[in-house]
Amino acid sequence: LDLLTESVSHIFSSRTAQGGANLFSDMTRTRLHFDHIRIADAIEAGDPDAARELMREHMTTASQAIFEVAPDLADNLVD
């Protein structure tokens, strides 16, 4: 999962002029940050079902945020 997210982050930041997440609104960056905290809390609490659902929601939110600020990335070929 870490490798996947690092790869996506690198692609996003290297293919946008402003360096990726800097394009997000303050509200979006805050939401994504607190998503990480909630996911970590669920893992620490030993609740894999909650962690899985929170991660699923986070990935949906993050991908929507990416394509809102850089819609053309969906058509880019990664070679």
Side-chain angles (χ1 to χ4, degrees):
L1 185 58
D2 185 52
L3 180 59
L4 174 65
T5 57
E6 286 296 321
S7 298
V8 170
S9 178
H10 175 71
I11 292 166
F12 181 44
S13 63
S14 68
R15 296 190 181 208
T16 56
Q18 291 81 15
N22 293 327
L23 296 171
F24 295 154
S25 69
D26 289 342
M27 185 171 66
T28 297
R29 281 196 306 275
T30 299
R31 162 79 192 273
L32 295 173
H33 172 75
F34 281 104
D35 283 354
H36 291 166
I37 293 170
R38 286 190 293 276
I39 293 163
D41 288 347
I43 292 168
E44 287 181 347
D47 189 345
D49 294 331
R52 183 180 305 109
E53 184 57 30
L54 289 166
M55 189 64 192
R56 186 174 289 123
E57 290 172 10
H58 174 69
M59 295 303 291
T60 299
T61 300
S63 62
Q64 288 171 343
I66 288 169
F67 293 123
E68 283 176 11
V69 298
D72 58 316
L73 281 182
D75 297 326
N76 279 216
L77 178 64
V78 178
D79 53 8

